[in-house]
Amino acid sequence: MRIEDKLYLIGYNIDEEESHLGISDPNECKRCQGRPCTYVCPAGVYSYDDEEEKLSINYDACVECGTCRIVCSYITWRYPRGGFGVQYKFG
Ligand code: SF4
Ligand code: SF4
């Protein structure tokens, strides 16, 4: 099964008002070497627009694995507010 198919099986209760992910200094993204956040995230949450020189965070797709917080100290990571976020079938 492809990872895209697995992700499709996950349920989410999306917090429309508040992102649980952020960047402490967006200017760092402009000079970041390789932008690892854009390829380590299994859910493709981070993408970089070269024309706008801006990092986008599609936080509602986050599966809360914590990988991005390891590869970048500028990412402000926390769990979503209570009752929101990913909902796994068996846990
Ligand atoms: S969030 Fe971190 S890893 Fe991603 S582009 Fe910005 S500085 Fe680089
Ligand atoms: S916690 Fe995992 S799924 Fe969520 S944004 Fe970071 S790497 Fe992607």
Side-chain angles (χ1 to χ4, degrees):
M1 185 184 264
R2 297 179 313 145
I3 192 161
E4 290 82 2
D5 296 326
K6 289 184 177 178
L7 290 169
Y8 187 71
L9 298 173
I10 296 174
Y12 299 88
N13 188 11
I14 296 166
D15 187 343
E16 305 280 0
E17 296 177 9
E18 200 173 302
S19 171
H20 64 291
L21 304 172
I23 308 293
S24 60
D25 183 356
N27 282 325
E28 287 297 331
C29 301
K30 295 180 185 175
R31 43 183 177 255
C32 176
Q33 291 290 320
R35 301 196 178 98
C37 64
T38 61
Y39 59 81
V40 298
C41 174
V45 165
Y46 301 94
S47 59
Y48 193 79
D49 187 319
D50 286 310
E51 277 188 17
E52 291 195 20
E53 294 188 311
K54 190 178 171 204
L55 187 79
S56 294
I57 307 175
N58 183 25
Y59 72 91
D60 56 2
C62 176
V63 297
E64 300 166 31
C65 67
T67 309
C68 56
R69 71 190 303 193
I70 294 171
V71 300
C72 180
S73 58
Y74 295 104
I75 291 173
T76 56
W77 194 102
R78 62 174 173 76
Y79 283 113
R81 294 191 293 167
F84 293 105
V86 68
Q87 296 173 340
Y88 290 105
K89 198 171 180 182
F90 300 110

